[in-house]
């Protein structure tokens, strides 16, 4: 029996947060933040990934040998079928080209799942939790000549609406997962089909605590600034990996960040992800959640990485201020008008100055003034890792203020505080606004942070006087 040499890889050198666009990638992407891309140099691959105990060649990923595993997968093609030619070919290609266990998928018969429970429905999909006793493949056990699997306990099934007639949107979302097989992005393990509805379904990692928005709403203990900055730098790392892969998210909001506890966030819902250079603006409108959408996107301009940064600015403020953006007013054309005119959510007075300044930079109306994803990640990482910096002194006193405020409220008080307007919609939907004003920043910080009640009053005043908005009809 061949010796298993996988334990020879250099764990200090290996980094989980790899970015690989294709198997033909060269050594490192330009802005990869020193993260390992596919390594073509054989000696370097030996050092980082170890040596395959079967073919004695360097691995292509953690305990993964692409040539050996491709042969195993190919030999098994005859033993399964989705009964859909396009899906079969899609899965087979992912298995033949996989350089890591996170960038291949398998066909999983629906009867393999147990305890199927409905969770929620979003703008385009339904989500269920399931148990999958067999679990997903991690690597080939050379000594025992079988796949080594891992079971998360629960997995998520996500079916896109009307996916019984398989569409490009379904496969494109899975392609995004395979292209960005990273720790900070929800992993996709396979495809299955509901035998009753006939809908095709993605099998994803399940996150026990739901999305970031729900996690904040349900928090029973105070979440300090140190924990929040750690969460934000992980989210920024995931967004950086998406952007380094040549993609943009396009639907970035707190409902699309899943969590296993506040300290383990994962970016999800990559359905709108697409290459930066292959975008088209649909004539019928744009998809998204209005409070998180950049003003230039609301006006129908092309989505960019900077638009994701704007959305992240709203998310940062939501996490730090613990207030859902614009939750007490309708999410309609009048709100879109105000956003283009400089309206932004409240920044709580007990958010440290440095963090408030970062938020304001992210949601600047001028694209050129927003930080790049790399700048944003490096800033948050520095604040998280350095024990003594300018932010540390600011955090101390504000932590105490927020802690006392949190402990003074009952869970019922906090529930009342997060109630939303009946026309405040936080799932992605088709939006179609015409002739919105050119995006500008508010003339001063205080008006930029008008509270929602002020905004509601301004909107009602505008609607009461049609002459005020005749130019935007």
């Amino acid at each position: 029996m061949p010796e298993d040499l996988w334990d020879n890889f250099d764990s200090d050198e290996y980094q989980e947060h790899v970015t690989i666009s294709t198997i033909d990638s060269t050594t490192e992407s330009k802005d990869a933040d020193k993260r390992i891309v596919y390594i073509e140099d054989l000696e370097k691959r030996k050092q980082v990934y170890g040596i395959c105990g079967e073919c004695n060649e360097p691995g292509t990923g953690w305990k993964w040998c692409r040539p050996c595993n491709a042969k195993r997968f190919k030999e098994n093609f005859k033993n399964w079928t989705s009964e859909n030619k396009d899906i079969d070919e899609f899965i087979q290609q992912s298995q033949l080209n996989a350089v890591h266990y996170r960038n291949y998928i398998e066909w999983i018969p629906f009867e393999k799942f147990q305890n199927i429970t409905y969770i929620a429905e979003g703008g385009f999909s339904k989500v269920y939790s399931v148990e999958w006793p067999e679990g997903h493949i991690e690597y080939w056990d050379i000594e025992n000549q079988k796949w080594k699997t891992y079971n998360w306990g629960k997995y998520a099934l996500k079916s896109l609406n009307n996916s019984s007639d398989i569409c490009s949107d379904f496969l494109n979302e899975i392609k995004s997962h395979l292209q960005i097989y990273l720790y900070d992005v929800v992993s996709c393990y396979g495809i299955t089909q509901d035998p009753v509805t006939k809908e095709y379904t993605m099998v994803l990692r399940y996150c026990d605590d739901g999305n970031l928005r729900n996690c904040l709403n349900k928090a029973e203990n105070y979440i300090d600034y140190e924990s929040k900055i750690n969460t934000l730098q992980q989210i920024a790392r995931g967004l950086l990996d998406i952007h380094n892969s040549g993609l943009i998210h396009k639907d970035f909001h707190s409902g699309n960040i899943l969590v296993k506890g506040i300290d383990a966030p994962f970016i999800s819902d990559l359905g709108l992800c697409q290459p930066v250079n292959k975008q088209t603006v649909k004539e019928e409108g744009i998809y998204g959640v209005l409070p998180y959408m950049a003003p230039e996107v609301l006006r129908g301009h092309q989505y960019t990485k900077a638009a994701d940064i704007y959305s992240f600015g709203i998310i940062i403020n939501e996490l730090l201020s613990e207030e859902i953006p614009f939750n007490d007013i309708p999410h309609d054309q009048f709100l879109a008008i105000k956003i283009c005119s400089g309206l932004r959510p409240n920044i709580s007075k007990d958010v440290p100055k440095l963090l408030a300044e970062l938020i304001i930079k992210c949601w600047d109306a001028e694209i050129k003034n927003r930080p790049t994803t790399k700048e944003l990640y490096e800033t948050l990482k520095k604040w998280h890792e350095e024990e003594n910096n300018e932010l540390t002194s600011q955090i101390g006193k504000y932590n105490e203020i927020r802690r006392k405020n949190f402990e003074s409220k009952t869970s019922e008080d906090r529930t009342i505080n997060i109630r939303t307007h009946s026309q405040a919609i936080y799932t992605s939907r088709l939006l179609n606004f015409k002739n919105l004003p050119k995006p500008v920043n508010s003339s001063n910080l205080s008006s930029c942070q008008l509270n929602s009640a002020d905004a509601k009053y301004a909107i009602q005043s505008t609607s009461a006087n049609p002459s005020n908005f005749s130019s935007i009809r």
Side-chain angles (χ1 to χ4, degrees):
M1 193 65 62
E3 182 184 358
D4 183 356
L5 300 179
W6 286 123
D7 59 355
N8 286 355
F9 77 93
D10 186 340
S11 59
D12 291 330
E13 184 74 21
Y14 177 73
Q15 300 180 46
E16 284 204 68
H17 306 284
V18 293
T19 303
I20 301 184
S21 297
T22 67
I23 189 64
D24 297 320
S25 297
T26 53
T27 53
E28 249 181 311
S29 65
K30 183 177 179 181
D31 298 316
D33 191 32
K34 296 183 180 178
R35 298 176 190 190
I36 295 168
V37 186
Y38 180 70
I39 301 171
E40 292 186 339
D41 181 80
L42 296 181
E43 291 304 316
K44 182 66 172 176
R45 272 173 44 202
K46 287 179 183 179
Q47 176 188 355
V48 176
Y49 298 123
I51 301 171
C52 173
E54 291 188 315
C55 68
N56 293 319
E57 291 296 317
T60 57
W62 182 77
K63 292 194 174 185
W64 196 272
C65 176
R66 179 200 176 206
C68 290
N69 288 342
K71 290 177 184 178
R72 274 184 278 272
F73 283 129
K74 190 172 183 178
E75 290 170 358
N76 194 47
F77 286 172
K78 63 181 180 293
N79 296 326
W80 63 267
T81 180
S82 67
E83 298 184 354
N84 179 294
K85 182 174 180 290
D86 291 336
I87 290 180
D88 282 358
E89 291 180 354
F90 181 83
I91 293 174
Q92 288 170 5
Q93 286 303 309
S94 81
Q95 294 180 350
L96 293 174
N97 293 322
V99 296
H100 189 281
Y101 78 90
R102 285 201 187 112
N103 87 312
Y104 94 96
I105 56 171
E106 59 183 298
W107 174 255
I108 309 165
F110 201 78
E111 59 266 23
K112 299 279 188 181
F113 301 114
Q114 300 175 1
N115 298 325
I116 301 169
T117 305
Y118 172 79
I119 298 295
E121 183 169 0
F124 313 111
S125 61
K126 300 181 187 70
V127 179
Y128 302 80
S129 71
V130 298
E131 293 176 4
W132 180 19
E134 290 183 10
H136 62 275
I137 290 172
E138 282 203 324
Y139 61 89
W140 179 255
D141 182 342
I142 297 175
E143 182 178 355
N144 295 303
Q145 289 293 289
K146 65 179 183 179
W147 289 111
K148 177 69 175 177
T149 61
Y150 184 83
N151 189 336
W152 284 117
K154 281 187 179 181
Y155 291 80
L157 298 186
K158 176 182 176 182
S159 63
L160 297 191
N161 297 338
N162 303 316
S163 62
S164 56
D165 180 17
I166 196 68
C167 63
S168 59
D169 289 344
F170 180 84
L171 295 181
N172 283 339
E173 177 160 359
I174 298 175
K175 284 179 184 176
S176 295
H177 279 280
L178 300 184
Q179 187 169 335
I180 317 165
Y181 57 95
L182 308 155
Y183 189 77
D184 300 304
V185 176
V186 171
S187 298
C188 180
Y189 300 107
I191 302 175
T192 189
Q193 184 181 33
D194 188 314
V196 177
T197 66
K198 302 301 181 183
E199 288 188 336
Y200 290 100
T201 304
M202 286 173 267
V203 182
L204 305 164
R205 182 171 181 176
Y206 179 79
C207 293
D208 306 78
D209 296 305
N211 61 48
L212 184 62
R213 185 183 304 134
N214 292 337
C215 184
L216 286 173
N217 294 345
K218 296 176 182 178
E220 296 181 357
N221 299 307
Y222 172 67
I223 305 171
D224 60 34
Y225 276 112
E226 290 85 355
S227 297
K228 290 179 178 179
I229 293 170
N230 177 39
T231 299
L232 289 171
Q233 67 97 12
Q234 290 183 67
I235 298 170
R237 184 174 62 194
L239 186 61
L240 175 62
D241 288 325
I242 290 173
H243 288 176
N244 279 343
S245 296
L247 300 175
I248 46 180
H249 192 286
K250 294 188 68 180
D251 194 21
F252 204 42
H253 57 83
S254 60
N256 279 344
I257 298 172
L258 305 183
V259 294
K260 290 178 73 67
I262 193 66
D263 59 344
F266 300 90
I267 298 174
S268 70
D269 278 25
L270 305 181
L272 295 180
C273 259
Q274 60 182 227
V276 176
N277 59 354
K278 291 185 180 180
Q279 292 190 70
T280 56
V281 177
K282 295 183 178 180
E283 292 183 3
E284 69 269 21
I286 50 176
Y287 287 95
V289 178
L290 178 54
Y292 300 84
M293 298 175 71
E296 71 272 11
V297 174
L298 294 176
R299 296 187 76 226
H301 292 194
Q302 191 173 71
Y303 225 106
T304 63
K305 293 178 182 179
D308 277 347
I309 293 297
Y310 177 96
S311 302
F312 196 19
I314 303 294
I315 293 169
I316 295 173
N317 185 56
E318 181 176 358
L319 178 58
L320 298 181
S321 298
E322 297 188 10
E323 293 183 5
I324 303 173
F326 304 128
N327 70 314
D328 57 350
I329 57 176
H331 294 178
D332 54 16
Q333 171 136 344
F334 296 113
L335 177 55
I337 292 168
K338 297 301 292 183
I339 289 172
C340 289
S341 300
L343 179 67
R344 301 291 184 268
N346 255 346
I347 298 178
S348 176
K349 292 180 180 178
D350 48 26
V351 169
K353 181 182 177 182
L354 280 175
L355 290 169
E357 290 173 348
L358 181 65
I359 292 168
I360 293 169
K361 286 179 182 177
C362 288
W363 67 30
D364 198 295
E366 288 284 344
I367 292 176
K368 64 183 180 182
N369 292 338
R370 298 172 198 164
T372 66
T373 322
K374 185 175 181 179
E375 289 170 345
L376 185 58
Y377 167 62
E378 288 180 341
T379 298
L380 290 166
K381 182 182 178 184
K382 177 181 178 182
W383 286 342
H384 169 62
E385 293 182 348
E386 289 186 4
E387 293 186 7
N388 296 301
N389 55 51
E390 188 178 353
L391 182 61
T392 306
S393 58
Q394 294 182 17
I395 284 177
K397 64 176 182 179
Y398 288 121
N399 259 334
E400 193 59 30
I401 293 171
R402 290 197 70 91
R403 188 187 304 276
K404 288 180 179 178
N405 184 46
F406 181 90
E407 293 174 350
S408 68
K409 294 180 180 179
T410 65
S411 57
E412 184 178 353
D413 291 335
R414 291 194 289 271
T415 300
I416 292 173
N417 191 44
I418 61 175
R419 287 178 181 169
T420 59
H421 191 282
S422 60
Q423 296 176 51
I425 301 170
Y426 293 93
T427 56
S428 296
R429 58 189 173 123
L430 181 65
L431 301 171
N432 191 1
F433 303 124
K434 301 295 184 182
N435 302 317
L436 295 179
K438 181 180 178 181
V440 295
N441 288 317
S442 181
S443 57
N444 58 66
L445 186 60
S446 59
S447 62
C448 174
Q449 295 179 31
L450 282 172
N451 62 39
S452 297
D454 293 334
K456 185 175 182 181
Y457 175 78
I459 289 168
Q460 290 173 338
S461 299
T462 303
S463 61
N465 184 357
S467 64
N468 286 347
F469 63 95
S470 58
S471 62
I472 60 172
R473 280 184 169 178

